[in-house]
DNA sequence: TATTGTTATACTCTATAACTATA
DNA sequence: TATAGTTATAGAGTATAACAATA
């Protein structure tokens, strides 16, 4: 059993400490990931932010949903769903349809334009993945993806 | 009436798409992780945010550094390092010492109090890890930790 | 003149609270 | 009266730009 990388340390003895922690490393890598994803979205020049994409993905993950339900699933305020939806509706990516059973509800649906948009984001994401996962072996990358998915499922993420 | 938008199919067919992507999953899990870490820090009641801890960790990772160097390593504005350092200095966790060679530079050093503080954060982090990694086997957890460390190293994170 | 740290200001993101229309 | 969505307002977090001290 070869020890995991315990060489190549700086001369100053540093304890692994927080950097060996999942929460800390996930947090820091997470901001790097969303920063890069944000820049990729900027290149689309559609005024999209990661939260817009998160809404599309959340919408695509389940059945069509009201804005309140979306807010609940995404863990954001209902007022934020309003502005995100405003923008996405302007782009033609989602549609607001009044629920005839309860005319207070706006049921959101993903349009063909929206699905194509998600596919563009997906392609951009795969390109970013290849940069990011460059130092990983295929096996390591697969194990990482599997573990992340398990964590995401556990915390109720799409 | 026949608004032919293309929801001939129910949108219940799953979209592995972006959710199978590292950037997207890292991003969403990253916000969950920092949210939880933020709440753990709140319990300390010291007014600490994850960025304060990131500064301590960055400082502990290398030799003592000037505020500009810290800003560079952390990828934040120098003015942010000022306010973070102000707070950490008030807590006695770091010390500002003028560099005699270049009296413009404020060299920051981690104090014993600061090191103890990092240890408390580390303990909190390990507790959060156990919750988060609950659905993972020990092997999966180790593989995840190793892969995340490789990614963190690649992007220059502590 | 250029650079370090600081201060002042502005911007982005998001939440809370007030409002409207339906129920 | 209570709830879905909207609008208005406020707060947190961070960056940019102006400023002071030192090089």
């Amino acid at each position: 059993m070869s020890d995991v990388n315990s060489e190549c340390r700086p001369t100053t003895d540093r304890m692994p400490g927080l950097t060996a922690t999942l929460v800390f490393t996930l947090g820091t890598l997470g901001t790097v990931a969303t920063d890069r994803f944000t820049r990729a979205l900027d290149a689309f020049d559609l005024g999209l932010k990661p939260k817009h994409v998160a809404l599309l993905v959340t919408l695509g993950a389940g059945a069509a949903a009201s804005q309140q339900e979306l807010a609940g699933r995404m863990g954001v305020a209902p007022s934020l769903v309003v502005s995100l939806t405003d923008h996405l509706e302007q782009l033609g990516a989602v549609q607001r349809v009044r629920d005839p059973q309860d005319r207070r509800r706006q049921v959101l649906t993903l349009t063909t334009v929206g699905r194509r948009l998600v596919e563009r984001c997906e392609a951009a994401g795969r390109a970013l993945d290849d940069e990011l996962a460059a130092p990983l072996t295929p096996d390591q990358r697969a194990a990482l993806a599997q573990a992340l998915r398990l964590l995401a499922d556990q915390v109720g993420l799409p």
Side-chain angles (χ1 to χ4, degrees), chain A residues 2-66:
Chain A
S2 56
D3 273 354
V4 236
N5 56 347
S6 53
E7 66 181 292
C8 243
R9 282 290 170 71
T11 55
T12 50
D13 64 336
R14 84 187 217 215
M15 21 176 197
L18 267 167
T19 60
T21 271
L22 289 181
V23 272
F24 188 82
T25 313
L26 272 178
T28 51
L29 275 172
T31 59
V32 171
T34 55
D35 280 356
R36 295 191 182 192
F37 192 59
T38 301
R39 275 199 304 266
L41 289 179
D42 284 345
F44 289 4
D45 213 41
L46 296 171
L48 290 178
K49 301 292 176 188
K51 281 266 149 73
H52 292 106
V53 180
L55 193 154
L56 293 177
V57 169
T58 307
L59 200 51
S66 75

Side-chain angles (χ1 to χ4, degrees), chain A residues 32-113:
Chain A
V32 171
T34 55
D35 280 356
R36 295 191 182 192
F37 192 59
T38 301
R39 275 199 304 266
L41 289 179
D42 284 345
F44 289 4
D45 213 41
L46 296 171
L48 290 178
K49 301 292 176 188
K51 281 266 149 73
H52 292 106
V53 180
L55 193 154
L56 293 177
V57 169
T58 307
L59 200 51
S66 75
Q67 299 185 190
Q68 295 274 350
E69 289 165 336
L70 264 296
R73 287 192 212 162
M74 294 175 63
V76 301
S79 60
L80 180 57
V81 174
V82 173
S83 55
L84 295 174
T85 303
D86 283 348
H87 193 90
L88 290 170
E89 196 179 32
Q90 264 189 322
L91 295 177
V94 302
Q95 265 188 334
R96 277 193 244 239
V97 180
R98 285 253 171 236
D99 182 350
Q101 315 301 331
D102 182 346
R103 293 189 44 72
R104 291 171 304 181
R105 290 163 48 92
Q106 298 265 44
V107 173
L108 302 191
T109 58
L110 203 55
T111 67
T112 307
V113 170

